[in-house]
Amino acid sequence: MFENQTNSTEIMKKLFKYLKVFGLIIILLAGGFVLFIFATWNKTFEAAYPEIKASTDSTLIARGKYLAYGPAHCATCHVPMDKMEAVENGEQIPLSGGWTLPIPPGTFRARNLTPDKETGIGNLTDGEIARVMRHSIGHDGRPIFPFMPFQNMTDEDVTALISFLRSQEPVKNLIAPSEYTFLGKMVLATGMIKPIGPTEKAMSSIEKEASIPYGKYLAYSVANCVGCHTERDLKTGKFTGPDFAGGMIMPPDEFSGGYSFMTPNLTPDQGSGIMAQWTEAVFIQRFRNGRLIEKSPMPWGSFSRMEDVELKALYLYLASLQPVENKIEKIVFAPDEEMSNN
């Protein structure tokens, strides 16, 4: 019996020794991984600068202004948070930055887009600004989180937007840099977030007409309908569901008053898609009515001022989509209410 107890004690000692070694290995691996994250997350990238030059042509500047306050809704983000209601109501205030969004990868802040040389874009070249839009690479080479959909925007519209930005009055408004959480640094270090570039050669221009091709261009490359009405992983920005089938969770922010939202299905599926229920006239009128759900993250103010030709083009494109069954039971969630996508 004494011998059995001795053997058991020796086994326990060996087991404890192995556990200590195993625990030490885990600690070393975890520590190494953390060191790897902090050593490599702040990487930079290269891409060619687009050959875009700002213009002083009044027609081009007017197009850029229309895009910024309308379908491209730059003004929804690049204004101070306390000015968002003013923008919604049609005030065309300078795009001096300030919108803030806290999501798992970090706290993201929209920068000052006025031509102020100290706090805005005054010291950036046209090519540097165009590279942000086309390749999601900042002037310092760092990747831009995928909020903006302008990679395939036409040369003409990129030129128009930059021309408008240059035409604004400079506003001195220092915006703190965006800050990444450890999760954000991890996905950067491991390559889960990379700059997003064009998927095809950029068109020089596109015919602005009530057509499916123009509607597709607006939905993907200007208004970013696909960016919100497609389920995606908020940790990386990656799309995880069918295009336009809805289901993206919009977490609460300073503007939403604690409410969360889930985007509806825009495909023409008879049982679950909005487009199956709307005629062109109803679709256009819905946009003209503006915000109906308080604190909705949809930039209704900007979209309500879109021209009929563009709303008609959007309707034609969305109505032409392959139907996707994805029933979104609820789109508004009160604070602390559980969200789920069926």
Side-chain angles (χ1 to χ4, degrees), residues 296-313:
S296 164
M298 177 89 160
W300 284 111
S302 296
F303 289 163
S304 69
R305 291 180 285 276
M306 288 173 63
E307 296 174 356
D308 278 358
V309 66
E310 297 191 318
L311 291 175
K312 289 179 180 180

Side-chain angles (χ1 to χ4, degrees), residues 9-64:
T9 301
E10 289 299 319
I11 291 173
M12 291 301 295
K13 285 182 178 179
K14 288 181 180 180
L15 180 60
F16 185 65
K17 180 181 177 180
Y18 291 144
L19 286 175
K20 284 200 300 183
V21 172
F22 181 72
L24 181 60
I25 292 173
I26 295 296
I27 291 172
L28 289 174
L29 288 174
F33 182 68
V34 170
L35 288 175
F36 166 75
I37 298 301
F38 282 104
T40 61
W41 76 271
N42 201 19
K43 60 186 69 175
T44 58
F45 296 83
E46 292 291 336
Y49 294 102
E51 295 182 2
I52 297 289
K53 298 293 182 184
S55 171
T56 57
D57 178 79
S58 60
T59 301
L60 204 58
I61 290 173
R63 169 68 177 174

Side-chain angles (χ1 to χ4, degrees), residues 195-228:
I196 299 174
T199 58
E200 57 192 28
K201 180 176 172 53
M203 297 180 288
S204 59
S205 62
I206 188 170
E207 188 70 27
K208 300 171 182 62
E209 59 182 359
S211 66
I212 289 177
Y214 188 46
K216 181 178 180 179
Y217 169 71
L218 292 170
Y220 276 100
S221 302
V222 180
N224 199 24
C225 310
V226 70
C228 291

